Coordinates of all heavy atoms in Angstrom, one line a residue:
S5 N 14.6 -16.7 6.9 CA 15.7 -16.2 7.7 C 16.6 -15.4 7.0 O 16.7 -15.2 5.9 CB 16.4 -17.5 8.1 OG 15.7 -18.5 8.7
C6 N 17.3 -14.5 7.8 CA 18.3 -13.5 7.2 C 19.5 -13.5 8.1 O 19.3 -13.1 9.2 CB 17.6 -12.1 7.2 SG 18.7 -10.8 6.7
V7 N 20.6 -13.8 7.6 CA 21.9 -13.7 8.4 C 22.7 -12.6 7.9 O 22.9 -12.3 6.8 CB 22.6 -15.1 8.0 CG1 24.1 -15.0 8.8 CG2 21.9 -16.3 8.4
A8 N 23.1 -11.9 8.9 CA 23.8 -10.7 8.6 C 25.4 -10.8 8.9 O 25.8 -11.4 9.9 CB 23.3 -9.5 9.4
S9 N 26.2 -10.3 8.0 CA 27.6 -10.3 8.2 C 28.2 -9.0 8.9 O 28.8 -8.3 8.2 CB 28.3 -10.6 6.9 OG 28.2 -9.6 6.0
T10 N 27.8 -8.9 10.1 CA 28.4 -7.7 10.8 C 28.7 -8.0 12.2 O 28.1 -8.9 12.8 CB 27.3 -6.6 11.0 OG1 27.6 -5.5 11.7 CG2 26.0 -7.0 11.3
K11 N 29.8 -7.4 12.8 CA 30.2 -7.7 14.1 C 29.3 -7.0 15.1 O 29.5 -7.3 16.2 CB 31.6 -7.4 14.2 CG 32.6 -8.0 13.3 CD 33.9 -7.5 13.4 CE 35.0 -8.3 12.4 NZ 36.4 -7.7 12.6
V12 N 28.4 -6.1 14.6 CA 27.8 -5.4 15.7 C 26.1 -5.5 15.4 O 25.5 -4.6 15.5 CB 28.1 -4.0 15.7 CG1 29.5 -3.7 16.2 CG2 28.0 -3.3 14.2
F13 N 25.8 -6.8 15.0 CA 24.4 -7.0 14.8 C 23.5 -6.7 15.8 O 22.4 -6.2 15.6 CB 24.3 -8.5 14.3 CG 22.9 -8.9 14.1 CD1 22.2 -8.7 12.8 CD2 22.1 -9.6 15.0 CE1 21.0 -9.1 12.6 CE2 20.8 -9.9 14.8 CZ 20.2 -9.7 13.5
S14 N 23.8 -6.8 17.0 CA 23.1 -6.7 18.2 C 22.5 -5.3 18.4 O 21.4 -5.1 19.0 CB 23.7 -7.1 19.5 OG 24.9 -6.3 19.8
I15 N 23.3 -4.3 17.7 CA 22.8 -2.8 17.8 C 22.0 -2.5 16.6 O 21.6 -1.2 16.4 CB 23.9 -1.9 18.2 CG1 25.0 -1.9 17.0 CG2 24.6 -2.3 19.5 CD1 25.9 -0.9 17.0
Y16 N 21.9 -3.4 15.5 CA 21.2 -3.1 14.5 C 19.7 -3.2 14.5 O 19.1 -4.0 15.1 CB 21.7 -4.0 13.2 CG 22.9 -3.4 12.6 CD1 24.0 -3.1 13.2 CD2 23.0 -3.3 11.1 CE1 25.2 -2.7 12.5 CE2 24.0 -3.0 10.5 CZ 25.2 -2.6 11.2 OH 26.3 -2.1 10.6
A17 N 19.0 -2.2 13.8 CA 17.6 -2.3 13.5 C 17.4 -3.1 12.3 O 18.2 -3.0 11.3 CB 17.0 -0.9 13.4
M18 N 16.5 -4.1 12.3 CA 16.3 -4.9 11.2 C 14.8 -4.9 10.7 O 13.9 -4.6 11.5 CB 16.7 -6.4 11.5 CG 18.0 -6.5 12.1 SD 19.3 -6.3 10.8 CE 19.0 -7.5 9.6
G19 N 14.6 -5.3 9.5 CA 13.3 -5.3 8.9 C 13.1 -6.2 7.7 O 14.1 -6.9 7.2
W20 N 11.9 -6.3 7.2 CA 11.5 -7.1 6.1 C 10.7 -6.2 5.3 O 9.7 -5.5 5.8 CB 10.8 -8.3 6.4 CG 11.6 -9.4 7.1 CD1 11.8 -9.6 8.4 CD2 12.5 -10.2 6.4 NE1 12.6 -10.7 8.6 CE2 13.0 -11.1 7.4 CE3 12.6 -10.7 5.1 CZ2 13.8 -12.3 7.1 CZ3 13.5 -11.7 4.7 CH2 14.1 -12.6 5.8
F21 N 11.0 -6.1 4.0 CA 10.2 -5.5 3.0 C 9.9 -6.5 1.9 O 10.5 -7.5 1.8 CB 10.9 -4.3 2.3 CG 11.0 -3.1 3.2 CD1 11.9 -3.1 4.3 CD2 10.3 -2.0 3.0 CE1 12.0 -2.1 5.2 CE2 10.3 -0.9 3.8 CZ 11.2 -0.9 4.9
R22 N 8.8 -6.2 1.0 CA 8.5 -7.1 -0.1 C 8.1 -6.4 -1.3 O 7.8 -5.2 -1.1 CB 7.4 -8.2 0.3 CG 6.0 -7.4 0.6 CD 5.1 -8.5 1.1 NE 3.8 -7.9 1.4 CZ 2.7 -8.6 1.9 NH1 3.0 -9.7 2.3 NH2 1.5 -8.0 2.0
Q23 N 8.3 -7.0 -2.4 CA 7.9 -6.3 -3.6 C 7.2 -7.4 -4.6 O 7.9 -8.3 -5.0 CB 9.1 -5.7 -4.4 CG 8.7 -5.0 -5.6 CD 9.8 -4.0 -6.1 OE1 11.1 -4.3 -5.7 NE2 9.4 -2.9 -6.7
A24 N 6.0 -7.2 -4.8 CA 5.4 -8.0 -5.9 C 5.5 -7.5 -7.1 O 5.8 -6.3 -7.4 CB 3.9 -8.1 -5.5
T25 N 5.4 -8.4 -8.2 CA 5.6 -8.0 -9.6 C 4.6 -6.9 -10.0 O 3.4 -6.9 -9.7 CB 5.3 -9.2 -10.5 OG1 6.2 -10.3 -10.1 CG2 5.6 -8.8 -12.0
G26 N 5.2 -5.8 -10.5 CA 4.4 -4.7 -10.9 C 4.0 -3.7 -9.9 O 3.2 -2.8 -10.1
K27 N 4.4 -3.9 -8.6 CA 4.1 -3.2 -7.5 C 5.3 -2.4 -6.9 O 6.3 -2.9 -7.0 CB 3.3 -3.9 -6.5 CG 1.9 -4.4 -7.0 CD 1.1 -5.0 -5.8 CE -0.3 -5.5 -6.4 NZ -1.1 -6.0 -5.2
Q28 N 4.9 -1.4 -6.2 CA 5.9 -0.8 -5.4 C 6.4 -1.7 -4.1 O 5.7 -2.5 -3.7 CB 5.5 0.6 -4.9 CG 5.1 1.6 -5.8 CD 6.4 2.2 -6.3 OE1 7.0 1.8 -7.3 NE2 6.8 3.3 -5.7
R29 N 7.6 -1.4 -3.7 CA 8.3 -2.1 -2.6 C 7.3 -1.7 -1.3 O 7.0 -0.6 -1.2 CB 9.7 -1.7 -2.4 CG 10.4 -2.5 -1.4 CD 11.9 -2.1 -1.5 NE 12.1 -0.8 -1.4 CZ 13.1 -0.2 -2.0 NH1 14.2 -0.8 -2.6 NH2 13.4 1.1 -1.8
E30 N 7.1 -2.6 -0.5 CA 6.2 -2.5 0.6 C 6.9 -2.9 1.9 O 7.4 -3.9 2.1 CB 4.8 -3.3 0.4 CG 3.9 -3.3 1.4 CD 2.7 -4.3 1.2 OE1 2.9 -5.3 0.5 OE2 1.6 -4.1 1.7
Y31 N 6.6 -2.1 2.9 CA 7.1 -2.4 4.2 C 6.2 -3.5 4.8 O 5.1 -3.7 4.6 CB 6.8 -1.1 5.1 CG 6.7 -1.4 6.6 CD1 8.0 -1.5 7.4 CD2 5.5 -1.4 7.2 CE1 7.8 -1.7 8.7 CE2 5.5 -1.6 8.6 CZ 6.6 -1.7 9.3 OH 6.6 -2.0 10.7
V32 N 7.0 -4.4 5.6 CA 6.3 -5.7 6.1 C 6.4 -5.5 7.6 O 5.5 -5.6 8.3 CB 6.9 -6.9 5.5 CG1 6.3 -8.2 6.4 CG2 6.8 -7.1 4.2
A33 N 7.7 -5.5 8.1 CA 7.9 -5.6 9.6 C 9.2 -5.0 9.9 O 10.1 -5.1 9.2 CB 7.7 -7.0 10.1

């Protein structure tokens, strides 16, 4: 879960990234 502290959350694009040890940050969704 990710909770955002913005008053205009509904217009925000959101995503998930991940980073494994020793690897580049990777796009997830």
